[in-house]
């Protein structure tokens, strides 16, 4: 038996703002919450499916050094350009991490500056 990623944990100052942002980006819902300290979001089907959940955990100060984890997202029902427009309307903003401009993805930051990449839509494996 192999392991699978069950959840990703993202430290943030405002768990409500990021929960709303990522729920809109991924079509997720709030699955669980621990007051204003922690919110877990995930697929509408709930826990245990093929998609990991995201735990947004309140942290007043960013941890030292660069975050070693970022999220990549793929559009599921529109092309990359249309999804980029939608993400920018939701509050994402372009992030410069030294890209050349030739990449096939867009580097963005969520409302608290956490970097993520918008990839091109991918076909499901057969």
């Amino acid at each position: 038996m192999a392991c699978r990623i069950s959840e990703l944990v993202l430290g943030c100052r405002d768990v409500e703002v990021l929960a709303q942002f990522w729920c809109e980006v991924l079509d997720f819902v709030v699955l669980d919450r621990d007051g204003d300290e922690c919110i877990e979001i995930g697929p509408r089907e709930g826990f245990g499916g093929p998609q990991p959940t995201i735990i947004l955990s309140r942290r007043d100060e960013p941890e030292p050094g660069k975050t070693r984890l970022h999220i990549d997202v793929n559009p599921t029902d529109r092309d990359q350009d249309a999804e980029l427009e939608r993400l920018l309307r939701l509050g994402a903003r372009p992030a410069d991490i030294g890209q050349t401009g030739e990449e096939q993805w867009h580097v963005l930051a969520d409302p608290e500056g956490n970097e993520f990449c918008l990839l091109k839509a991918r076909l499901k494996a057969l």
Side-chain angles (χ1 to χ4, degrees):
M1 174 159 237
C3 292
R4 72 173 185 82
I5 297 172
S6 59
E7 61 221 17
L8 302 171
V9 179
L10 184 59
C12 56
R13 288 180 296 280
D14 190 332
V15 296
E16 293 291 340
V17 167
L18 283 195
Q20 180 180 353
F21 176 80
W22 285 109
C23 280
E24 289 290 331
V25 169
L26 300 169
D27 192 30
F28 275 13
V29 295
V30 173
L31 299 173
D32 195 17
R33 69 174 58 237
D34 181 9
D36 64 350
E37 295 296 311
C38 185
I39 296 177
E40 186 167 9
I41 63 172
R44 295 178 181 280
E45 300 79 41
F47 303 100
Q51 290 184 301
T53 63
I54 299 175
I55 296 175
L56 302 156
S57 178
R58 186 170 179 268
R59 301 283 181 267
D60 290 329
E61 296 296 325
E63 296 181 19
K66 183 173 172 55
T67 304
R68 298 186 73 163
L69 174 71
H70 75 265
I71 297 171
D72 287 344
V73 297
N74 300 87
T76 57
D77 61 353
R78 62 191 61 128
D79 68 21
Q80 186 185 42
D81 291 336
E83 183 65 358
L84 177 61
E85 288 179 28
R86 185 179 84 89
L87 295 177
L88 293 171
R89 281 193 312 271
L90 290 173
R93 60 188 184 279
D96 183 0
I97 59 168
Q99 329 52 313
T100 65
E102 299 298 317
E103 293 81 8
Q104 294 185 15
W105 59 86
H106 296 277
V107 182
L108 302 168
D110 71 16
E112 286 201 4
N114 299 299
E115 295 164 359
F116 68 100
C117 293
L118 170 62
L119 309 179
K120 288 187 174 189
R122 295 181 358 182
L123 299 176
K124 291 183 179 180
L126 298 176

